[in-house]
Amino acid sequence: MPAAIEVNHLHKSFARIEAVKDISIKFSEGEIIALLGPNGAGKSTFMNMLSGFLSPDSGKIIILGQDMASNPLQAKSLIGFLPEGSPLYGDMPVRRFLAYMAKLKSSNAPDVDKVISLANLEDVVNQKIETLSKGYKRRVGFASSLLGNPPVLLLDEPTDGLDPNQKNHMLKLISSMSKNKTILISTHLLDEAQSVASRILIMDKGEIKIDGSLDSILKQTRCFSLETAFTKLTKASL
Ligand code: ATP
């Protein structure tokens, strides 16, 4: 069985900034991976490349056997992506936006109702996206990433702007979906990473500094908490 996501020697620079430096890594089906790192570590650049949204300078991305460079449509059809920030098309009402995105993904109408319900959007389906609170906008983006039930989910700070109840709801939902999917979540919240992820990556200055379960990270760093391990591995970025 191929890895769900396979990345070989991925590299991306912006002018003189090396945002992602020669990353090679594999993720399997059923894994929830939390991607941690200080501001500017390269998390969004990495996720944007995995989603096919941004082209790497060099390196390969293979999604369930489909090469992102040579088979971009097939590879992208396997991915649900929640980028940083708000969804596009702010002047569209929620349901119309999701129906439009479903069409782009060749998904169908029952699927739109399903993601509206999963993301708890029933109360705002006819409201324009630009008039929603930050948390609701995030949930519209999340709902959009679930359209077509893709086997790979890339979620860039999915709980940003959510109140504690909504945050718990989303994390539970993500956990419940992990069985047949591979879910990569970027977050600044260490407790969130510990509660939802089976594997944690800490990134700094474009490199993955450590990769493993919470227990293995604590052992490798000889720390008693993820917070101290994080500080130890990324201190130079302060
Ligand atoms: P944050 O946690 O603040 O969202 P991040 O870990 O997601 O940060 P990136 O947004 O990937 O980090 O940025 C990595 C580096 O690349 C930063 O130095 C950033 O300024 C730079 N960078 C990212 N995108 C661009 C761009 N389009 N043009 C120029 N520099 C960029």
Side-chain angles (χ1 to χ4, degrees):
M1 197 167 75
I5 305 177
E6 182 172 350
V7 170
N8 289 314
H9 300 292
L10 203 63
H11 200 99
K12 181 76 184 176
S13 295
F14 299 104
R16 288 209 312 273
I17 298 167
E18 287 186 281
V20 167
K21 294 182 199 165
D22 195 30
I23 290 184
S24 296
I25 197 159
K26 285 183 187 177
F27 303 120
S28 308
E29 185 182 302
E31 280 191 308
I32 301 185
I33 309 105
L35 181 60
L36 301 171
N39 293 125
K43 303 181 295 296
S44 293
T45 305
F46 182 58
M47 302 225 12
N48 288 342
M49 286 193 285
L50 292 190
S51 71
F53 183 68
L54 184 70
S55 299
D57 294 339
S58 55
K60 240 183 189 332
I61 296 163
I62 299 173
I63 310 291
L64 287 159
Q66 301 290 337
D67 187 321
M68 185 62 81
S70 52
N71 287 329
L73 290 181
Q74 288 89 334
K76 284 182 199 175
S77 72
L78 299 166
I79 295 173
F81 180 41
L82 172 66
E84 223 178 359
S86 302
L88 298 170
Y89 311 115
D91 60 344
M92 269 194 192
V94 171
R95 180 186 288 282
R96 188 127 59 85
F97 168 74
L98 290 171
Y100 175 67
M101 296 307 283
K103 231 183 209 163
L104 290 183
K105 287 191 179 183
S106 316
S107 190
N108 55 27
D111 202 24
V112 172
D113 290 330
K114 187 163 182 214
V115 300
I116 285 172
S117 155
L118 284 172
N120 272 350
L121 291 168
E122 289 93 344
D123 292 347
V124 296
V125 283
N126 295 318
Q127 205 171 318
K128 281 187 178 182
I129 293 172
E130 66 196 4
T131 66
L132 298 174
S133 67
K134 191 176 172 189
Y136 267 110
K137 281 182 185 149
R138 211 70 202 119
R139 280 151 55 190
V140 173
F142 178 61
S144 169
S145 76
L146 299 179
L147 287 166
N149 195 20
V152 171
L153 283 180
L154 304 173
L155 307 174
D156 198 346
E157 301 191 30
T159 62
D160 186 31
L162 300 193
D163 68 44
N165 294 336
Q166 285 301 332
K167 190 175 128 178
N168 286 336
H169 171 79
M170 189 182 282
L171 293 178
K172 275 200 187 123
L173 188 60
I174 290 171
S175 294
S176 73
M177 290 188 309
S178 69
K179 200 166 162 232
N180 304 307
K181 292 191 192 295
T182 305
I183 307 177
L184 179 64
I185 301 176
S186 135
T187 179
H188 283 290
L189 305 171
L190 303 187
D191 60 335
E192 182 171 307
Q194 295 180 78
S195 73
V196 79
S198 51
R199 179 172 169 192
I200 294 172
L201 309 181
I202 298 180
M203 198 171 171
D204 192 27
K205 298 195 179 68
E207 294 174 343
I208 290 170
K209 298 290 179 189
I210 206 159
D211 170 7
S213 66
L214 177 63
D215 282 351
S216 111
I217 287 180
L218 298 183
K219 262 194 202 124
Q220 289 176 68
T221 54
R222 295 183 194 175
C223 289
F224 292 108
S225 71
L226 185 58
E227 192 176 351
T228 46
F230 182 91
T231 308
K232 194 170 181 178
L233 291 163
T234 63
K235 208 163 38 187
S237 291
L238 287 177

